[in-house]
Amino acid sequence: MLKLHYNLERVSMGLVAAIIIAASVGGIVEIAPLFTIDETVEVPDDLRPHTPLELAGREIFIREGCYACHSQMVRSLADEIDRYGPYSQAGESAYDHPMLWGSKRTGPDLARIGGKYSDEWHVRHLIDPRSVVPASIMPAYPWLLKSLDTDLLTDSLATLSELGVPYSDEMITSAASDALAQSRPDSNETDGFRARYEERPAIRAFDGDPARLTEMDALVAYLQALGTLTVVSETVVVEVDE
Amino acid sequence: MIATLTVSERQAGLLLSIILAALGLAMAAAARQGVMSVHGFLALGLGVGLAFMLGGAIYDPEPDEDRLRSYYDAPTQFGIVMTLIWAVIAMAVGVWVAALLYWPEATPLWPETSFGRLRPVHTTGIIFGFGGNALIATSFHVLQRTSRARLADSISPWVVLLGYNLFCVWAVTGYLMGSTQSKEYAEAEWYADLWLVVVWVTYFVLYLRTLARRNEPHIYVANWYYLAFILVVAMLHIVNNLALPVRWSSAESFPIWSGVQDAMIQWWYGHNAVAFFLTAGFLGMLYYFLPIRSGRPIWSYRLSIISFWGITFFYIWVGSHHLHYTALPYWAQTLGMTFSVMLLVPSWASAGNAIATLNGAWHKVRDDATLRFMFVAAVFYGLSTFEGSFLAIRPVNSLSHYTDWTVGHVHSGTLGWVAMIVFGAIYTLVPQISGRDAMVSSRAIEWHFWLAVSGTLVYVVAMWNAGITQGLMWRAYDENGALSYSFLQSVQAMAPYYLLRTIGGGLFLAGAVICAWNCWATLRLAHGSAKDRPLLPQPAE
């Protein structure tokens, strides 16, 4: 063996090839099956993609680096299930490009946050966290009250649909007006929105002001949708470990 | 730097600068507004600036023919200066964001300076800015010395260093403006990622071409590690960053991976960025500078073979230990855990080999702060690899994951191991390339050493306590079977530790500032260049 190596280290391309081979095996064994085994990701029948408004909110969540302190992955541990809700399943994030499972909880997990607090609480909390949670160490985000730029939404939905997220052509072309409609319950566009996204996504003035479409509308719509894209998460049987 | 180039090399450089400026202009024009246009203008500015510098000095006196009989150290020196600049900036940002966790009201109400945008500035600035420049700079030095040959050409080292730093600046300024992919340690957007591939290929080709000119039959161990660093980082970077831009004229993109596959690929990347960026490359540094400084040969050649191939083969498997108890299939988690534990063997083989190398030179470790930096680096390398294997065990991970213990573990590796070996290498290199016997101030090195060690210990101990406290509070039940603590109570319990970690980080930063001053003072008083010479091919008799 030593003799073999003695010769190998005299040939630079030999070393290069050996390094590539040695460093490829692990990745291939662990990653490739995740794409081929159907059982790995069972996409729930009722899994819906994000609406354009929620997607815009998700991009704001990413832009502000929220994922650095908030995970979106409830592990299958008793205390996490008691604290946050049913553990996260692979299928729930099947349409998430990228996933936002996170790696650190400076703040609590958000995988099941949808519906736990009112819109008003979220708005106040985002503008000034310590006004509702005095001991919070979260930064304030007052600039979220600026109006939402919907310019990229159509292209965003089109890109995601190329990557396999089930957005119809109609959803893609009306993405910007759907974002507006979801935050304006009284507008004429809500019928079209309902026709495309059916009954489940909420139509509300998320920031409390139906006259304006703000980044706050988008982010709160996204937060309120977390954990509600499929009902599967609510039917998980919690195994009791005696 | 221009004085070291010939007229034809300056002309080639001028051409490349003009191409860069044109590329920047095209980017800015296509994007019209937003992050991508700012980045286009940055590239345009760099290209125009370089073109003026080269154009203005194009017919200055050429370096004499003798230059080919010496090593090419100008890029190394530039890389070290960039290393120190990034160190001070990115460590300062780290201390600042640490302070914000203790004192959140201090956050100015501008989007650009909020915690979530500054945090990746710290991580990218340290890993890529500080660590990456140090790796590239030292690799040029080590590659030439261990091959006893001059770098294959004088243009590509500059393409690598300037291009790489452009990538780093694009990345961190992008985060401030809200442009990020959100993938940890790979936050830079698609065009920056593509640019890095171009830079990296240039680096690899330069490395191989220089190796091909070597006057030593064998390729020294340090170069195996640097090669593994270059090759595997390329593989990880390309696969993890595959993305579809929303528009070719916009910074925004969507990664092609989603959900569980994305999680697996992200942490396959994430942990191997630790392995092949923060470990393999720095082991290359250790394998060269430790024997040089201590004047002792590496203790065991066989052990270095075992540890090199062990690290290259085992590390790739371990990324899934970041995903214990998640929706990732159980078998993949188990593989990650198993290989993490096995990884301790080659890791400790390296650490042990380094420490055994110091046998017979312990008096030097006592007297020479530079060598002491390297010794402490090897010790922390051993400690944090042990901790890493331990944290990867599933039940341990159930406690430690998502807590500050992980942060403590990372910093025991980056402060204790990576930064210490870099400082040891810098204090060895800077006097050498300045043609001097020693740094200007050896007392400043002592001060730096003790600041760095105490800062690291304060930081790491604070984070251990923080993490274990968090983990235990989250899982505590009272006698009625209800959770004992709200999440908020666990946040409140962190306050003293967050204050301590800020102080620890501050101490470490103070040491880095002293180092930057010492290097500046030494380079300013340089007496010519390094005295050692490559072996020139002898004509056949």
Side-chain angles (χ1 to χ4, degrees):
Chain A
M1 275 310 272
L2 207 59
K3 182 74 189 160
L4 184 76
H5 202 276
Y6 185 84
N7 292 326
L8 178 66
E9 66 192 53
R10 297 161 72 105
V11 189
S12 58
M13 289 317 282
L15 261 179
V16 167
I19 290 170
I20 292 176
I21 293 167
S24 301
V25 181
I28 292 169
V29 172
E30 287 186 357
I31 296 171
L34 300 183
F35 289 93
T36 51
I37 303 173
D38 290 340
E39 291 84 60
T40 300
V41 184
E42 208 175 331
V43 180
D45 294 335
D46 64 340
L47 181 68
R48 71 168 176 88
H50 286 111
T51 65
L53 187 64
E54 291 158 6
L55 186 70
R58 192 172 201 269
E59 292 304 314
I60 293 166
F61 187 92
I62 290 174
R63 180 188 80 191
E64 299 301 342
C66 307
Y67 60 86
C69 295
H70 295 283
S71 58
Q72 292 184 20
M73 171 49 63
V74 181
R75 295 180 294 171
S76 52
L77 297 168
D79 60 294
E80 299 214 350
I81 295 165
D82 285 345
R83 189 180 297 278
Y84 301 114
Y87 60 81
S88 303
Q89 292 183 296
E92 289 181 71
S93 48
Y95 297 150
D96 286 358
H97 296 264
M99 58 85 209
L100 293 173
W101 293 8
S103 62
K104 176 72 174 57
R105 285 180 187 154
T106 304
D109 187 274
L110 299 180
R112 303 277 174 247
I113 199 75
K116 268 196 186 164
Y117 297 88
S118 67
D119 295 344
E120 199 200 345
W121 185 91
H122 278 299
V123 172
R124 288 182 58 187
H125 181 248
L126 286 163
I127 293 173
D128 181 8
R130 277 161 291 286
S131 71
V132 281
V133 185
S136 168
I137 59 170
M138 191 171 111
Y141 295 92
W143 56 87
L144 292 178
L145 288 174
K146 71 167 182 248
S147 52
L148 179 71
D149 183 1
T150 54
D151 180 45
L152 275 180
L153 276 178
T154 291
D155 287 347
S156 295
L157 261 66
T159 311
L160 284 172
S161 118
E162 276 179 61
L163 293 172
V165 182
Y167 287 119
S168 65
D169 291 343
E170 213 187 330
M171 287 171 172
I172 292 170
T173 48
S174 39
S177 69
D178 278 347
L180 196 65
Q182 200 186 350
S183 71
R184 256 176 220 181
D186 300 330
S187 71
N188 299 327
E189 277 81 37
T190 52
D191 292 343
F193 177 81
R194 279 278 173 247
R196 284 183 282 278
Y197 293 93
E198 301 178 3
E199 287 311 307
R200 280 161 51 211
I203 299 182
R204 291 200 297 266
F206 293 94
D207 67 353
D209 179 4
R212 289 183 63 209
L213 177 61
T214 60
E215 294 194 335
M216 187 66 83
D217 275 311
L219 185 55
V220 174
Y222 171 63
L223 291 172
Q224 296 288 31
L226 282 174
T228 69
L229 299 185
T230 159
V231 292
V232 139
S233 58
E234 287 146 35
T235 57
V236 169
V237 181
V238 178
E239 288 165 43
V240 182
D241 194 13
E242 287 298 321
Chain B
M1 74 195 234
I2 294 171
T4 64
L5 302 175
T6 63
V7 171
S8 60
E9 284 164 347
R10 287 173 202 163
Q11 285 164 340
L14 186 62
L15 181 69
L16 288 173
S17 309
I18 293 168
I19 294 175
L20 174 65
L23 240 150
L25 189 65
M27 244 173 89
R32 282 208 202 91
Q33 53 175 359
V35 186
M36 198 170 158
S37 88
V38 175
H39 285 166
F41 280 117
L42 269 175
L44 175 66
L46 178 66
V48 170
L50 287 172
F52 270 103
M53 274 172 65
L54 286 163
I58 204 151
Y59 293 117
D60 281 7
E62 289 197 310
D64 48 28
E65 273 304 303
D66 231 21
R67 75 182 189 288
L68 295 177
R69 257 174 272 152
S70 63
Y71 293 118
Y72 193 33
D73 286 333
T76 304
Q77 182 177 334
F78 176 79
I80 287 174
V81 171
M82 292 313 297
T83 304
L84 291 164
I85 291 174
W86 280 107
V88 172
I89 295 174
M91 285 180 198
V93 173
V95 174
W96 172 242
V97 293
L100 288 183
L101 287 177
Y102 180 70
W103 194 27
E105 296 87 351
T107 315
L109 294 179
W110 306 312
E112 290 78 12
T113 52
S114 83
F115 181 94
R117 296 195 190 187
L118 285 179
R119 189 251 187 195
V121 173
H122 167 61
T123 54
T124 301
I126 287 294
I127 299 173
F128 295 99
F130 168 65
N133 274 299
L135 285 170
I136 296 173
T138 56
S139 75
F140 287 159
H141 179 89
V142 172
L143 170 64
Q144 296 184 88
R145 264 61 180 193
T146 56
S147 305
R148 293 212 269 175
R150 189 181 158 93
L151 284 177
D153 73 288
S154 307
I155 298 286
S156 21
W158 295 108
V159 173
V160 173
L161 277 162
L162 293 166
Y164 182 75
N165 280 287
L166 179 64
F167 164 80
C168 294
V169 171
W170 272 357
V172 299
T173 54
Y175 312 151
L176 295 178
M177 290 181 276
S179 171
T180 167
Q181 295 193 103
S182 90
K183 285 176 153 274
E184 282 185 83
Y185 321 116
E187 291 95 342
E189 276 292 359
W190 60 273
Y191 53 87
D193 291 336
L194 284 176
W195 174 249
L196 186 59
V197 172
V198 175
V199 170
W200 218 247
V201 170
T202 316
Y203 185 22
F204 179 58
V205 172
L206 172 64
Y207 214 94
L208 281 189
R209 283 173 60 217
T210 309
L211 273 182
R213 298 170 166 224
R214 71 186 182 276
N215 291 303
E216 287 285 331
H218 287 269
I219 300 172
Y220 180 63
V221 193
N223 291 311
W224 312 348
Y225 280 105
Y226 281 120
L227 269 179
F229 149 65
I230 298 171
L231 281 169
V232 184
V233 166
M235 176 166 99
L236 298 165
H237 173 78
I238 292 170
V239 174
N240 189 42
N241 283 301
L242 288 173
L244 266 190
V246 170
R247 278 180 203 156
W248 292 108
S249 59
S250 147
E252 207 154 309
S253 68
F254 290 103
I256 69 165
W257 317 114
S258 72
V260 65
Q261 291 96 342
D262 186 37
M264 182 63 230
I265 289 169
Q266 163 58 29
W267 289 109
W268 166 79
Y269 167 89
H271 203 83
N272 288 300
V274 176
F276 290 91
F277 211 100
L278 295 178
T279 303
F282 293 96
L283 279 171
M285 217 182 265
L286 177 95
Y287 267 104
Y288 179 78
F289 288 102
L290 184 84
I292 286 283
R293 191 73 189 185
S294 63
R296 312 271 316 162
I298 282 293
W299 182 64
S300 165
Y301 166 66
R302 285 178 203 215
L303 210 51
S304 37
I305 296 178
I306 291 171
S307 43
F308 175 74
W309 291 106
I311 284 172
T312 308
F313 180 73
F314 286 165
Y315 243 122
I316 279 290
W317 297 74
V318 307
S320 52
H321 72 224
H322 287 250
L323 299 166
H324 280 324
Y325 300 99
T326 67
L328 181 77
Y330 198 71
W331 61 265
Q333 302 175 20
T334 308
L335 273 178
M337 170 171 77
T338 313
F339 276 85
S340 302
V341 173
M342 293 198 287
L343 189 58
L344 190 59
V345 175
S347 299
W348 272 25
S350 293
N353 208 356
I355 288 168
T357 299
L358 290 172
N359 255 343
W362 290 109
H363 60 288
K364 291 187 187 168
V365 178
R366 184 192 62 208
D367 299 336
D368 178 11
T370 304
L371 190 57
R372 225 178 302 134
F373 265 113
M374 300 185 204
F375 165 66
V376 171
V379 171
F380 265 100
Y381 176 61
L383 288 176
S384 32
T385 47
F386 172 76
E387 190 186 24
S389 297
F390 180 63
L391 291 176
I393 298 169
R394 205 183 263 118
V396 182
N397 195 269
S398 76
L399 180 83
S400 74
H401 195 52
Y402 297 130
T403 74
D404 280 302
W405 193 351
T406 313
V407 182
H409 168 58
V410 171
H411 283 82
S412 100
T414 46
L415 301 176
W417 150 236
V418 171
M420 298 280 185
I421 191 67
V422 171
F423 292 134
I426 284 180
Y427 286 133
T428 310
L429 253 179
V430 168
Q432 193 187 346
I433 57 177
S434 330
R436 295 173 54 97
D437 295 332
M439 297 289 293
V440 160
S441 168
S442 57
R443 278 191 63 192
I445 307 179
E446 279 296 340
W447 270 95
H448 180 195
F449 175 78
W450 290 108
L451 282 169
V453 171
S454 52
T456 306
L457 287 175
V458 170
Y459 190 108
V460 171
V461 172
M463 289 295 95
W464 279 339
N465 282 291
I468 293 171
T469 307
Q470 269 171 333
L472 291 176
M473 285 178 87
W474 291 346
R475 61 162 56 168
Y477 282 92
D478 63 18
E479 61 275 17
N480 299 323
L483 292 166
S484 298
Y485 301 101
S486 70
F487 191 89
L488 195 65
Q489 284 172 307
S490 77
V491 174
Q492 287 172 295
M494 291 304 105
Y497 306 121
Y498 284 171
L499 178 63
L500 266 178
R501 82 110 83 102
T502 309
I503 294 170
L507 293 175
F508 201 91
L509 169 66
V513 172
I514 292 176
C515 174
W517 166 79
N518 206 354
C519 291
W520 172 78
T522 307
L523 288 171
R524 212 167 55 101
L525 297 175
H527 303 301
S529 55
K531 295 188 180 77
D532 53 345
R533 293 280 175 268
L535 196 68
L536 283 183
Q538 302 295 319
E541 301 264 329

